[in-house]
Amino acid sequence: MTENSTPALELTGIEMHYGFVRALDDIDIHVMPGEVVALLGDNGAGKSTLLKVMSGAHKPSHGSIRVHGQEQSFHAPSDAAEAGIQMVYQDLALVEPQDISTNLNMGQETLRKGPLGLLGFVDRKAMRRSSEAELDRLGVRTAPMTRPVEMLSGGQRQVVALARSAIRVNGESRGILLLDEPTAALGYEQTKNVEGLIERMAAQGIAIVIVTHDLPLCYEVADRMVILNRGKKCADVPVEGTDRDHVVGWITGSRASMFAA
């Protein structure tokens, strides 16, 4: 975690109402630059709803959102992306018939110089060179840039999705990366590759929030765990020194909340 007293992302007093149902109840959460925060909870605890608030997909009923100390009002995911927040969904949102380089540059294609560029022709060679340089910087080793995503393994696809978002948030301001179950359905070796990439992204100053059911992943890569139960925050603890049985108790509700009711 980098030395910075201002959170990269800070949510205060977040509430989300659906009619008479309160999906999120007065949630405070923050993540510092270079910090990995695991967001845990049972099904229906509010994790996905909170992640959607962070990503701009849902506008909260109450509460405030700050990015690097600046208050924000997100009306769509594009607003969050403009503020430096990238979301990697569980379905990865990759274009499978296209190659790795095209997926990494989706929406930010490099145009050819001269008249062809004015007509919208992309410079695929330049995109491949820049993609290889970015993956080298992230320490990623995957298939050749020209290989279609549909020919990649599940772990390779996950790495491509993570790398694409990391490239987009790794500017001067250091962005925020939101990950939804990044190791779901991956084998041991593929999971280790993803863990290594998360650690390298955090080391470069990227703030990362992970929604996951995978406790071993939390203990491997996260600095802190925030646990929700029925829409309320019931624990906010450092990973180091926190007993796993306590974590399971907070998730299931058998252990009392750290916070006053």
Side-chain angles (χ1 to χ4, degrees), residues 127-155:
M127 286 165 53
R128 288 168 189 158
R129 287 194 299 269
S130 65
S131 295
E132 288 173 348
E134 290 288 354
L135 292 183
D136 285 343
R137 181 179 55 77
L138 290 169
V140 172
R141 293 292 177 267
T142 185
M145 291 294 103
T146 55
R147 182 166 298 174
V149 166
E150 62 190 358
M151 295 179 64
L152 301 180
S153 68

PDB file of all heavy atoms in Angstrom, residues 127-155:
ATOM      1  N   MET A 127      -0.998  -1.135 -31.956  1.00  0.00           N
ATOM      2  CA  MET A 127      -1.771  -1.614 -30.820  1.00  0.00           C
ATOM      3  C   MET A 127      -1.138  -2.851 -30.208  1.00  0.00           C
ATOM      4  O   MET A 127      -1.103  -3.002 -28.980  1.00  0.00           O
ATOM      5  CB  MET A 127      -3.213  -1.905 -31.260  1.00  0.00           C
ATOM      6  CG  MET A 127      -4.035  -0.643 -31.496  1.00  0.00           C
ATOM      7  SD  MET A 127      -5.574  -0.910 -32.413  1.00  0.00           S
ATOM      8  CE  MET A 127      -6.345  -2.208 -31.470  1.00  0.00           C
ATOM      9  N   ARG A 128      -0.615  -3.735 -31.035  1.00  0.00           N
ATOM     10  CA  ARG A 128       0.039  -4.939 -30.511  1.00  0.00           C
ATOM     11  C   ARG A 128       1.306  -4.584 -29.749  1.00  0.00           C
ATOM     12  O   ARG A 128       1.581  -5.144 -28.683  1.00  0.00           O
ATOM     13  CB  ARG A 128       0.349  -5.906 -31.653  1.00  0.00           C
ATOM     14  CG  ARG A 128      -0.881  -6.596 -32.231  1.00  0.00           C
ATOM     15  CD  ARG A 128      -0.575  -7.308 -33.527  1.00  0.00           C
ATOM     16  NE  ARG A 128      -1.810  -7.771 -34.168  1.00  0.00           N
ATOM     17  CZ  ARG A 128      -1.919  -8.038 -35.454  1.00  0.00           C
ATOM     18  NH1 ARG A 128      -0.878  -7.891 -36.263  1.00  0.00           N
ATOM     19  NH2 ARG A 128      -3.076  -8.454 -35.950  1.00  0.00           N
ATOM     20  N   ARG A 129       2.079  -3.633 -30.285  1.00  0.00           N
ATOM     21  CA  ARG A 129       3.315  -3.221 -29.599  1.00  0.00           C
ATOM     22  C   ARG A 129       2.997  -2.600 -28.244  1.00  0.00           C
ATOM     23  O   ARG A 129       3.626  -2.922 -27.230  1.00  0.00           O
ATOM     24  CB  ARG A 129       4.101  -2.235 -30.472  1.00  0.00           C
ATOM     25  CG  ARG A 129       4.786  -2.862 -31.685  1.00  0.00           C
ATOM     26  CD  ARG A 129       5.805  -1.894 -32.284  1.00  0.00           C
ATOM     27  NE  ARG A 129       5.185  -0.663 -32.748  1.00  0.00           N
ATOM     28  CZ  ARG A 129       4.730  -0.478 -33.988  1.00  0.00           C
ATOM     29  NH1 ARG A 129       4.829  -1.462 -34.875  1.00  0.00           N
ATOM     30  NH2 ARG A 129       4.180   0.673 -34.335  1.00  0.00           N
ATOM     31  N   SER A 130       2.001  -1.715 -28.215  1.00  0.00           N
ATOM     32  CA  SER A 130       1.664  -1.063 -26.951  1.00  0.00           C
ATOM     33  C   SER A 130       1.066  -2.055 -25.956  1.00  0.00           C
ATOM     34  O   SER A 130       1.331  -1.985 -24.755  1.00  0.00           O
ATOM     35  CB  SER A 130       0.684   0.093 -27.189  1.00  0.00           C
ATOM     36  OG  SER A 130      -0.554  -0.381 -27.681  1.00  0.00           O
ATOM     37  N   SER A 131       0.301  -3.019 -26.471  1.00  0.00           N
ATOM     38  CA  SER A 131      -0.291  -4.040 -25.600  1.00  0.00           C
ATOM     39  C   SER A 131       0.793  -4.900 -24.970  1.00  0.00           C
ATOM     40  O   SER A 131       0.750  -5.204 -23.768  1.00  0.00           O
ATOM     41  CB  SER A 131      -1.263  -4.920 -26.391  1.00  0.00           C
ATOM     42  OG  SER A 131      -2.362  -4.178 -26.856  1.00  0.00           O
ATOM     43  N   GLU A 132       1.770  -5.305 -25.769  1.00  0.00           N
ATOM     44  CA  GLU A 132       2.875  -6.119 -25.246  1.00  0.00           C
ATOM     45  C   GLU A 132       3.661  -5.347 -24.189  1.00  0.00           C
ATOM     46  O   GLU A 132       4.054  -5.897 -23.150  1.00  0.00           O
ATOM     47  CB  GLU A 132       3.791  -6.547 -26.388  1.00  0.00           C
ATOM     48  CG  GLU A 132       3.172  -7.614 -27.288  1.00  0.00           C
ATOM     49  CD  GLU A 132       4.015  -7.907 -28.512  1.00  0.00           C
ATOM     50  OE1 GLU A 132       4.956  -7.135 -28.790  1.00  0.00           O
ATOM     51  OE2 GLU A 132       3.718  -8.904 -29.195  1.00  0.00           O
ATOM     52  N   ALA A 133       3.868  -4.039 -24.427  1.00  0.00           N
ATOM     53  CA  ALA A 133       4.613  -3.219 -23.465  1.00  0.00           C
ATOM     54  C   ALA A 133       3.845  -3.097 -22.150  1.00  0.00           C
ATOM     55  O   ALA A 133       4.432  -3.180 -21.064  1.00  0.00           O
ATOM     56  CB  ALA A 133       4.878  -1.834 -24.055  1.00  0.00           C
ATOM     57  N   GLU A 134       2.523  -2.914 -22.233  1.00  0.00           N
ATOM     58  CA  GLU A 134       1.712  -2.787 -21.021  1.00  0.00           C
ATOM     59  C   GLU A 134       1.687  -4.098 -20.243  1.00  0.00           C
ATOM     60  O   GLU A 134       1.781  -4.105 -19.012  1.00  0.00           O
ATOM     61  CB  GLU A 134       0.279  -2.368 -21.383  1.00  0.00           C
ATOM     62  CG  GLU A 134       0.149  -0.942 -21.888  1.00  0.00           C
ATOM     63  CD  GLU A 134       0.345   0.086 -20.797  1.00  0.00           C
ATOM     64  OE1 GLU A 134       0.468  -0.302 -19.622  1.00  0.00           O
ATOM     65  OE2 GLU A 134       0.389   1.284 -21.116  1.00  0.00           O
ATOM     66  N   LEU A 135       1.569  -5.226 -20.950  1.00  0.00           N
ATOM     67  CA  LEU A 135       1.550  -6.516 -20.264  1.00  0.00           C
ATOM     68  C   LEU A 135       2.909  -6.812 -19.634  1.00  0.00           C
ATOM     69  O   LEU A 135       2.978  -7.392 -18.544  1.00  0.00           O
ATOM     70  CB  LEU A 135       1.152  -7.627 -21.237  1.00  0.00           C
ATOM     71  CG  LEU A 135      -0.291  -7.583 -21.750  1.00  0.00           C
ATOM     72  CD1 LEU A 135      -0.574  -8.787 -22.645  1.00  0.00           C
ATOM     73  CD2 LEU A 135      -1.293  -7.537 -20.612  1.00  0.00           C
ATOM     74  N   ASP A 136       3.980  -6.405 -20.297  1.00  0.00           N
ATOM     75  CA  ASP A 136       5.316  -6.574 -19.706  1.00  0.00           C
ATOM     76  C   ASP A 136       5.437  -5.759 -18.422  1.00  0.00           C
ATOM     77  O   ASP A 136       6.008  -6.226 -17.424  1.00  0.00           O
ATOM     78  CB  ASP A 136       6.397  -6.138 -20.700  1.00  0.00           C
ATOM     79  CG  ASP A 136       6.603  -7.154 -21.814  1.00  0.00           C
ATOM     80  OD1 ASP A 136       6.165  -8.314 -21.651  1.00  0.00           O
ATOM     81  OD2 ASP A 136       7.200  -6.787 -22.845  1.00  0.00           O
ATOM     82  N   ARG A 137       4.893  -4.550 -18.439  1.00  0.00           N
ATOM     83  CA  ARG A 137       4.949  -3.691 -17.256  1.00  0.00           C
ATOM     84  C   ARG A 137       4.177  -4.316 -16.090  1.00  0.00           C
ATOM     85  O   ARG A 137       4.586  -4.205 -14.926  1.00  0.00           O
ATOM     86  CB  ARG A 137       4.367  -2.310 -17.586  1.00  0.00           C
ATOM     87  CG  ARG A 137       4.401  -1.336 -16.431  1.00  0.00           C
ATOM     88  CD  ARG A 137       3.825   0.010 -16.839  1.00  0.00           C
ATOM     89  NE  ARG A 137       2.491  -0.118 -17.372  1.00  0.00           N
ATOM     90  CZ  ARG A 137       1.401  -0.309 -16.628  1.00  0.00           C
ATOM     91  NH1 ARG A 137       1.510  -0.401 -15.310  1.00  0.00           N
ATOM     92  NH2 ARG A 137       0.211  -0.399 -17.179  1.00  0.00           N
ATOM     93  N   LEU A 138       3.074  -4.988 -16.415  1.00  0.00           N
ATOM     94  CA  LEU A 138       2.276  -5.647 -15.387  1.00  0.00           C
ATOM     95  C   LEU A 138       2.821  -7.023 -15.010  1.00  0.00           C
ATOM     96  O   LEU A 138       2.317  -7.663 -14.091  1.00  0.00           O
ATOM     97  CB  LEU A 138       0.824  -5.800 -15.859  1.00  0.00           C
ATOM     98  CG  LEU A 138      -0.001  -4.511 -15.966  1.00  0.00           C
ATOM     99  CD1 LEU A 138      -1.311  -4.791 -16.684  1.00  0.00           C
ATOM    100  CD2 LEU A 138      -0.260  -3.919 -14.591  1.00  0.00           C
ATOM    101  N   GLY A 139       3.840  -7.476 -15.733  1.00  0.00           N
ATOM    102  CA  GLY A 139       4.407  -8.788 -15.463  1.00  0.00           C
ATOM    103  C   GLY A 139       3.522  -9.924 -15.907  1.00  0.00           C
ATOM    104  O   GLY A 139       3.552 -11.018 -15.343  1.00  0.00           O
ATOM    105  N   VAL A 140       2.727  -9.676 -16.966  1.00  0.00           N
ATOM    106  CA  VAL A 140       1.775 -10.681 -17.446  1.00  0.00           C
ATOM    107  C   VAL A 140       2.387 -11.461 -18.599  1.00  0.00           C
ATOM    108  O   VAL A 140       2.938 -10.890 -19.537  1.00  0.00           O
ATOM    109  CB  VAL A 140       0.462 -10.004 -17.915  1.00  0.00           C
ATOM    110  CG1 VAL A 140      -0.456 -11.019 -18.585  1.00  0.00           C
ATOM    111  CG2 VAL A 140      -0.224  -9.349 -16.743  1.00  0.00           C
ATOM    112  N   ARG A 141       2.276 -12.772 -18.503  1.00  0.00           N
ATOM    113  CA  ARG A 141       2.694 -13.650 -19.603  1.00  0.00           C
ATOM    114  C   ARG A 141       1.473 -14.423 -20.065  1.00  0.00           C
ATOM    115  O   ARG A 141       0.927 -15.249 -19.339  1.00  0.00           O
ATOM    116  CB  ARG A 141       3.788 -14.618 -19.138  1.00  0.00           C
ATOM    117  CG  ARG A 141       5.102 -13.943 -18.801  1.00  0.00           C
ATOM    118  CD  ARG A 141       5.770 -13.364 -20.047  1.00  0.00           C
ATOM    119  NE  ARG A 141       7.006 -12.649 -19.708  1.00  0.00           N
ATOM    120  CZ  ARG A 141       7.072 -11.367 -19.465  1.00  0.00           C
ATOM    121  NH1 ARG A 141       5.968 -10.639 -19.485  1.00  0.00           N
ATOM    122  NH2 ARG A 141       8.222 -10.771 -19.174  1.00  0.00           N
ATOM    123  N   THR A 142       1.006 -14.141 -21.254  1.00  0.00           N
ATOM    124  CA  THR A 142      -0.171 -14.831 -21.765  1.00  0.00           C
ATOM    125  C   THR A 142       0.096 -15.249 -23.212  1.00  0.00           C
ATOM    126  O   THR A 142       1.246 -15.304 -23.643  1.00  0.00           O
ATOM    127  CB  THR A 142      -1.418 -13.929 -21.655  1.00  0.00           C
ATOM    128  OG1 THR A 142      -2.568 -14.668 -22.048  1.00  0.00           O
ATOM    129  CG2 THR A 142      -1.289 -12.666 -22.492  1.00  0.00           C
ATOM    130  N   ALA A 143      -0.936 -15.544 -23.964  1.00  0.00           N
ATOM    131  CA  ALA A 143      -0.789 -16.021 -25.340  1.00  0.00           C
ATOM    132  C   ALA A 143      -0.369 -14.866 -26.261  1.00  0.00           C
ATOM    133  O   ALA A 143      -0.394 -13.699 -25.865  1.00  0.00           O
ATOM    134  CB  ALA A 143      -2.110 -16.621 -25.802  1.00  0.00           C
ATOM    135  N   PRO A 144       0.026 -15.169 -27.512  1.00  0.00           N
ATOM    136  CA  PRO A 144       0.367 -14.101 -28.461  1.00  0.00           C
ATOM    137  C   PRO A 144      -0.783 -13.125 -28.649  1.00  0.00           C
ATOM    138  O   PRO A 144      -1.961 -13.490 -28.555  1.00  0.00           O
ATOM    139  CB  PRO A 144       0.649 -14.877 -29.755  1.00  0.00           C
ATOM    140  CG  PRO A 144       1.052 -16.238 -29.304  1.00  0.00           C
ATOM    141  CD  PRO A 144       0.249 -16.502 -28.073  1.00  0.00           C
ATOM    142  N   MET A 145      -0.443 -11.866 -28.944  1.00  0.00           N
ATOM    143  CA  MET A 145      -1.434 -10.811 -29.071  1.00  0.00           C
ATOM    144  C   MET A 145      -2.462 -11.091 -30.166  1.00  0.00           C
ATOM    145  O   MET A 145      -3.573 -10.569 -30.144  1.00  0.00           O
ATOM    146  CB  MET A 145      -0.743  -9.469 -29.380  1.00  0.00           C
ATOM    147  CG  MET A 145       0.079  -8.904 -28.240  1.00  0.00           C
ATOM    148  SD  MET A 145      -0.907  -8.407 -26.803  1.00  0.00           S
ATOM    149  CE  MET A 145      -0.583  -9.776 -25.716  1.00  0.00           C
ATOM    150  N   THR A 146      -2.088 -11.906 -31.142  1.00  0.00           N
ATOM    151  CA  THR A 146      -2.975 -12.164 -32.278  1.00  0.00           C
ATOM    152  C   THR A 146      -3.949 -13.315 -32.030  1.00  0.00           C
ATOM    153  O   THR A 146      -4.785 -13.607 -32.888  1.00  0.00           O
ATOM    154  CB  THR A 146      -2.135 -12.503 -33.530  1.00  0.00           C
ATOM    155  OG1 THR A 146      -1.252 -13.594 -33.222  1.00  0.00           O
ATOM    156  CG2 THR A 146      -1.307 -11.303 -33.968  1.00  0.00           C
ATOM    157  N   ARG A 147      -3.864 -13.944 -30.868  1.00  0.00           N
ATOM    158  CA  ARG A 147      -4.739 -15.101 -30.608  1.00  0.00           C
ATOM    159  C   ARG A 147      -6.140 -14.620 -30.183  1.00  0.00           C
ATOM    160  O   ARG A 147      -6.281 -13.793 -29.294  1.00  0.00           O
ATOM    161  CB  ARG A 147      -4.159 -15.980 -29.519  1.00  0.00           C
ATOM    162  CG  ARG A 147      -5.005 -17.231 -29.222  1.00  0.00           C
ATOM    163  CD  ARG A 147      -4.243 -18.235 -28.410  1.00  0.00           C
ATOM    164  NE  ARG A 147      -3.051 -18.709 -29.128  1.00  0.00           N
ATOM    165  CZ  ARG A 147      -2.139 -19.522 -28.598  1.00  0.00           C
ATOM    166  NH1 ARG A 147      -2.292 -19.963 -27.352  1.00  0.00           N
ATOM    167  NH2 ARG A 147      -1.094 -19.889 -29.311  1.00  0.00           N
ATOM    168  N   PRO A 148      -7.191 -15.176 -30.805  1.00  0.00           N
ATOM    169  CA  PRO A 148      -8.551 -14.805 -30.404  1.00  0.00           C
ATOM    170  C   PRO A 148      -8.828 -15.210 -28.964  1.00  0.00           C
ATOM    171  O   PRO A 148      -8.369 -16.250 -28.485  1.00  0.00           O
ATOM    172  CB  PRO A 148      -9.436 -15.597 -31.376  1.00  0.00           C
ATOM    173  CG  PRO A 148      -8.552 -15.897 -32.543  1.00  0.00           C
ATOM    174  CD  PRO A 148      -7.174 -16.065 -31.978  1.00  0.00           C
ATOM    175  N   VAL A 149      -9.604 -14.394 -28.262  1.00  0.00           N
ATOM    176  CA  VAL A 149      -9.925 -14.661 -26.868  1.00  0.00           C
ATOM    177  C   VAL A 149     -10.667 -15.981 -26.707  1.00  0.00           C
ATOM    178  O   VAL A 149     -10.510 -16.684 -25.698  1.00  0.00           O
ATOM    179  CB  VAL A 149     -10.748 -13.484 -26.295  1.00  0.00           C
ATOM    180  CG1 VAL A 149     -11.400 -13.854 -24.971  1.00  0.00           C
ATOM    181  CG2 VAL A 149      -9.865 -12.261 -26.119  1.00  0.00           C
ATOM    182  N   GLU A 150     -11.460 -16.359 -27.709  1.00  0.00           N
ATOM    183  CA  GLU A 150     -12.228 -17.598 -27.607  1.00  0.00           C
ATOM    184  C   GLU A 150     -11.335 -18.837 -27.556  1.00  0.00           C
ATOM    185  O   GLU A 150     -11.797 -19.920 -27.180  1.00  0.00           O
ATOM    186  CB  GLU A 150     -13.207 -17.707 -28.782  1.00  0.00           C
ATOM    187  CG  GLU A 150     -12.553 -17.760 -30.141  1.00  0.00           C
ATOM    188  CD  GLU A 150     -13.550 -17.623 -31.278  1.00  0.00           C
ATOM    189  OE1 GLU A 150     -14.766 -17.530 -30.987  1.00  0.00           O
ATOM    190  OE2 GLU A 150     -13.137 -17.600 -32.452  1.00  0.00           O
ATOM    191  N   MET A 151     -10.049 -18.689 -27.893  1.00  0.00           N
ATOM    192  CA  MET A 151      -9.115 -19.807 -27.851  1.00  0.00           C
ATOM    193  C   MET A 151      -8.302 -19.824 -26.552  1.00  0.00           C
ATOM    194  O   MET A 151      -7.425 -20.675 -26.387  1.00  0.00           O
ATOM    195  CB  MET A 151      -8.161 -19.741 -29.057  1.00  0.00           C
ATOM    196  CG  MET A 151      -8.852 -19.913 -30.408  1.00  0.00           C
ATOM    197  SD  MET A 151      -7.698 -19.784 -31.792  1.00  0.00           S
ATOM    198  CE  MET A 151      -6.635 -21.205 -31.483  1.00  0.00           C
ATOM    199  N   LEU A 152      -8.596 -18.919 -25.627  1.00  0.00           N
ATOM    200  CA  LEU A 152      -7.851 -18.850 -24.374  1.00  0.00           C
ATOM    201  C   LEU A 152      -8.528 -19.681 -23.289  1.00  0.00           C
ATOM    202  O   LEU A 152      -9.737 -19.942 -23.338  1.00  0.00           O
ATOM    203  CB  LEU A 152      -7.764 -17.398 -23.900  1.00  0.00           C
ATOM    204  CG  LEU A 152      -7.105 -16.387 -24.841  1.00  0.00           C
ATOM    205  CD1 LEU A 152      -7.114 -15.007 -24.203  1.00  0.00           C
ATOM    206  CD2 LEU A 152      -5.701 -16.803 -25.213  1.00  0.00           C
ATOM    207  N   SER A 153      -7.740 -20.074 -22.301  1.00  0.00           N
ATOM    208  CA  SER A 153      -8.288 -20.759 -21.133  1.00  0.00           C
ATOM    209  C   SER A 153      -9.033 -19.751 -20.257  1.00  0.00           C
ATOM    210  O   SER A 153      -8.925 -18.527 -20.444  1.00  0.00           O
ATOM    211  CB  SER A 153      -7.168 -21.405 -20.321  1.00  0.00           C
ATOM    212  OG  SER A 153      -6.355 -20.401 -19.725  1.00  0.00           O
ATOM    213  N   GLY A 154      -9.787 -20.260 -19.271  1.00  0.00           N
ATOM    214  CA  GLY A 154     -10.508 -19.373 -18.366  1.00  0.00           C
ATOM    215  C   GLY A 154      -9.581 -18.440 -17.616  1.00  0.00           C
ATOM    216  O   GLY A 154      -9.876 -17.256 -17.439  1.00  0.00           O
ATOM    217  N   GLY A 155      -8.446 -18.965 -17.171  1.00  0.00           N
ATOM    218  CA  GLY A 155      -7.492 -18.135 -16.459  1.00  0.00           C
ATOM    219  C   GLY A 155      -6.885 -17.055 -17.341  1.00  0.00           C
ATOM    220  O   GLY A 155      -6.698 -15.911 -16.900  1.00  0.00           O
TER     221      GLY A 155
END
